Amino acid sequence: MTKMKLGVNIDHVATLRQARRGFEPDPVAAARCCEKAGADSIVAHLREDRRHIQDKDIRLLRKSVKTRLNLEMSLADPVVAAALSVRPDQATIVPERRAELTTEGGLDVVRHFRRVKNIAAALRKAGIGVSLFVDPVAAQIQKTFEAGIDTVELHTGRYAHASAREQVRRELDALKKMAAFARGLGMTVNAGHGLNYRNTRAVARIPGIEELNIGHAIIARAVFVGLEQAVREMVKIVNG
Ligand code: PXP
């Protein structure tokens, strides 16, 4: 069995820095620390409102990240232009609503099919791998495939937020079925959102998922134990 990978989302290192609009903590130094602790990729979301990660951050990350840089981005023209200019290893297309606290659901690729397809083609032409963040729903995965995109990231938010045991089981089952469905189409399957030190193990055991992308829980734990230790602990869970 191949090793499950961990992508660490460093957005909230930038959130803390932006609280004072200064220089610390530095997301580039954080990325280096995550890589040292065993992260397989560094994830950063260049939001349209630039509430945390800034354009300069992704330019610097592009130069310094030694593993893989996975840029989360919406379909907005200025963000697409930034991605084409910086050329991350991978672009993960996500939906974005201005007032949301975080990415609340997967992208509706059925609805935005033509635009997704065109932007994915432009990104690929620039040598950027493309992934789409979708809910674990067959129609969305099927349309992602039809848009010529070979990687999906399954949104684990409904699983992470479920509380009743039966609901947790149902959401985990949906993730398992949809991971198998996407693999059946020959796609690479990743997953993320809302995963933490308690609920990640069950997702890490789902056959066919290659990488989990985790941010908030790791940065939150880093406040108490340090970033390197927080990442090491999550690497252990992911590979448990
Ligand atoms: N994957 C994607 C596509 C996301 O948009 C996010 C949130 O930025 C994450 C993973 C990480 O979510 P969390 O911060 O809840 O771990």
Side-chain angles (χ1 to χ4, degrees), residues 9 11-12 43 45 72 92 94 102-103 133 153 191-195 213-217:
N9 180 312
D11 289 351
H12 296 312
V43 187
H45 185 172
E72 289 180 10
T92 299
V94 302
T102 180
T103 316
F133 191 42
E153 179 174 338
H193 200 89
L195 297 178
N213 293 316
I214 306 179
H216 185 268

Side-chain angles (χ1 to χ4, degrees), residues 8-200:
V8 179
N9 180 312
I10 56 166
D11 289 351
H12 296 312
V13 174
T15 301
L16 196 53
R17 179 194 61 193
Q18 293 310 104
R20 290 291 168 94
R21 304 274 191 278
F23 299 99
E24 291 178 322
D26 174 16
V28 170
R32 207 173 298 129
C33 182
C34 293
E35 290 185 313
K36 189 173 164 221
D40 297 288
S41 66
I42 299 300
V43 187
H45 185 172
L46 186 68
R47 290 190 74 99
E48 290 164 40
D49 63 8
R50 305 296 197 269
R51 68 172 75 156
H52 38 53
I53 293 291
Q54 307 294 306
D55 296 72
K56 189 176 170 202
D57 293 325
I58 56 166
R59 284 198 299 276
L60 293 174
L61 286 167
R62 170 67 295 182
K63 284 191 193 139
S64 65
V65 165
K66 300 260 186 313
T67 51
R68 270 180 308 121
L69 178 62
N70 178 1
L71 181 71
E72 289 180 10
M73 52 175 280
S74 72
L75 295 166
D77 287 335
V79 179
V80 174
L84 288 170
S85 147
V86 169
R87 296 186 187 217
D89 299 286
Q90 185 178 312
T92 299
I93 304 175
V94 302
E96 208 173 296
R97 281 188 289 270
R98 292 232 157 206
E100 69 187 358
L101 292 178
T102 180
T103 316
E104 284 165 358
L107 185 76
D108 187 349
V109 57
V110 176
R111 186 163 163 211
H112 300 288
F113 183 73
R114 190 164 293 276
R115 182 150 176 78
V116 166
K117 191 174 174 187
N118 290 342
I119 288 175
L123 291 166
R124 253 198 323 275
K125 202 167 157 209
I128 303 167
V130 182
S131 172
L132 210 69
F133 191 42
V134 294
D135 289 324
V137 170
Q140 297 292 343
I141 296 167
Q142 179 69 38
K143 273 290 181 200
T144 304
F145 177 73
E146 287 172 20
I149 297 169
D150 63 5
T151 304
V152 272
E153 179 174 338
L154 300 178
H155 196 301
T156 51
R158 280 167 60 112
Y159 159 74
H161 296 133
S163 49
R165 190 185 290 234
E166 179 53 26
Q167 198 189 355
V168 172
R169 198 198 54 76
R170 219 177 26 243
E171 295 302 339
L172 201 56
D173 207 46
L175 289 167
K176 278 183 197 160
K177 285 201 176 105
M178 289 305 109
F181 178 71
R183 288 293 302 135
L185 293 171
M187 301 176 86
T188 298
V189 186
N190 303 324
H193 200 89
L195 297 178
N196 59 36
Y197 292 85
R198 279 168 281 110
N199 64 18
T200 295

